[in-house]
Structure formats: C-alpha cells, structure tokens
C-alpha cells in the first residue's frame, strides 16, 4: 500500500509538478519526451522568425527546441505550476527576457495578446485542461489568422486499458480520441485539421486558426 501511494503521488507530478519530486519529474520529462518532441515538430512548416507559444511548458525543453527552429523568432511558455515556470526559466536562462519568456497561467486564461503568435504547441498537456472548448477558443484568440495549433499526446486512445490505468492513478486526467479533439477544434474556429498517428499509439493534430 505504501509503495502504491508513493508511486501515485509521483505520477501526479506529471499533472502539477512541485517540490523536489516535481523537479525530478520535470528533468525526466525533458529527456524522456525528446523523441515525441522531434516527431511532433516535424509536422509544422517552421519559419525562422515565428513567435511560438508552448502551453504547459513543463521543464522548458520544448521552448529550447522552438528557439532552435526559429533562430530569429521568440518562444513563450505558460504553465500552471510555479515549479515548472522556474524550471523552464532556468533551462532557457541564456535567452530569458530576450527571446524566451515564461509566465504562470492556464490554457483557459492565456496571459497573451490577441493574434500574438504564429504557432501554439501543446505537448502532453491537453489531458489536464478542465475546459477544452474554452482553452481551444483561447488558443484561437492568440493565434494570427492562419496560425498553427499543434497538439501532441503520447496517449491517443481513451479505450486503451493501459492508459485507463494511468489516468486513474494520476487523477484529473482525460485521454481524448482524435475525433473528440477534432470536434472541439472545429467548434473553436479551427480548420484544415490533420491527424497523424505514430505506430506506438502517439497522436499528433495540426490545425489552423480561421477565426
């Protein structure tokens, strides 16, 4: 029982990192999710001067990758967890305040101006957004017309028994099907929605804002 309790507590750090174990998890996700980051990034038509927002920026590895893809652009990160904000800032300290900016905030209330970004990315974070339609509408608000929204999820099948087990242990986590995400995206004003499936079950969706 004690072992399960500890493991469950550690897994919940994926949802809201805090303290020593939160930092432990952020380091692990920065390294462990690198292949997922590369795969998802391959579906965007990167431009060197883009401004890109990462929602649920976690340990900041995606922000660093954005800066590499956009050498004349800027990367912005938003995360609900203060621990993640501090960690991501340290990860990108060389560019912080110049080409990289990280703030605390939620997907439903982005601390960003309208039509501010050329692209918005969300890796392994939509599971934890309590109001998906509102969050997607916020993403549409901060994207320029024709801007790209990239969603990448390691868990892409809500009927997978393995992921059902993990969602129960993590708590307040919902795995969405591609069809459900497409429906919410359409309702929020997105079009040209493309779905990409990885042989290992990962899900990537790219949509453009037409609001």
């Amino acid at each position: 029982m004690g072992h399960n309790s500890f493991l469950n507590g550690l897994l919940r750090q994926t949802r809201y990192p805090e303290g020593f174990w939160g930092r432990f998890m952020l380091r692990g996700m920065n390294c462990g999710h690198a292949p997922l980051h590369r795969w998802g990034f391959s579906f965007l038509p990167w431009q060197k001067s883009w401004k890109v927002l990462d929602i649920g920026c976690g340990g900041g590895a995606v922000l660093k990758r954005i800066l590499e893809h956009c050498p004349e652009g800027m990367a912005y990160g938003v995360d609900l967890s203060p621990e993640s904000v501090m960690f991501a800032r340290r990860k990108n300290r060389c560019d912080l305040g110049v080409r990289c900016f990280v703030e605390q905030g939620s997907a439903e209330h982005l601390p960003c101006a309208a039509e501010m970004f050329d692209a918005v990315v969300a890796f392994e974070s939509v599971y934890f957004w309590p109001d998906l339609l509102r969050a997607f509408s916020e993403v549409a608000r901060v994207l320029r017309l024709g801007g790209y929204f990239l969603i990448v999820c390691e868990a892409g099948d809500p009927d997978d028994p393995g992921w059902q087990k993990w969602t129960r242990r993590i708590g307040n986590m919902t795995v969405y099907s591609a069809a459900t995400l497409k429906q919410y995206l359409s309702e929020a004003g997105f079009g040209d929605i493309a779905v990409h499936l990885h042989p290992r079950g990962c899900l990537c969706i790219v949509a453009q804002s037409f609001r």
Side-chain angles (χ1 to χ4, degrees), residues 48 61-72 99:
K48 61 183 181 180
V62 169
L63 293 171
K64 184 169 286 291
R65 195 173 295 275
I66 290 168
L67 292 172
E68 293 170 355
H69 278 73
C70 307
E72 298 177 12
R99 292 210 303 131

Side-chain angles (χ1 to χ4, degrees), residues 152-172:
V152 183
C153 300
E154 191 173 11
D157 181 3
D159 297 321
D160 184 331
W163 285 116
Q164 289 174 355
K165 177 184 71 174
W166 290 117
T167 57
R168 288 193 296 269
R169 301 189 79 163
I170 293 172
N172 295 321

Side-chain angles (χ1 to χ4, degrees), residues 68-128:
E68 293 170 355
H69 278 73
C70 307
E72 298 177 12
M74 295 183 181
Y76 293 75
V78 170
D79 202 290
L80 199 59
S81 159
E83 195 73 67
S84 295
V85 170
M86 290 187 292
F87 201 100
R89 285 174 175 172
R90 287 195 297 269
K91 177 74 173 176
N92 295 277
R93 56 187 174 275
C94 292
D95 294 291
L96 196 65
V98 181
R99 292 210 303 131
C100 184
F101 306 87
V102 187
E103 301 294 337
Q104 186 178 4
S106 70
E108 293 80 14
H109 301 281
L110 294 172
C112 311
E115 301 182 16
M116 183 174 176
F117 300 105
D118 300 288
V120 174
V121 302
F123 283 84
E124 292 287 88
S125 60
V126 296
Y127 316 123
F128 308 117

Side-chain angles (χ1 to χ4, degrees), residues 40-56:
F41 271 42
S42 71
F43 297 108
L44 284 182
W46 291 95
Q47 301 296 318
K48 61 183 181 180
S49 60
W50 268 4
K51 288 184 179 179
V52 184
L53 171 66
D54 178 19
I55 305 177

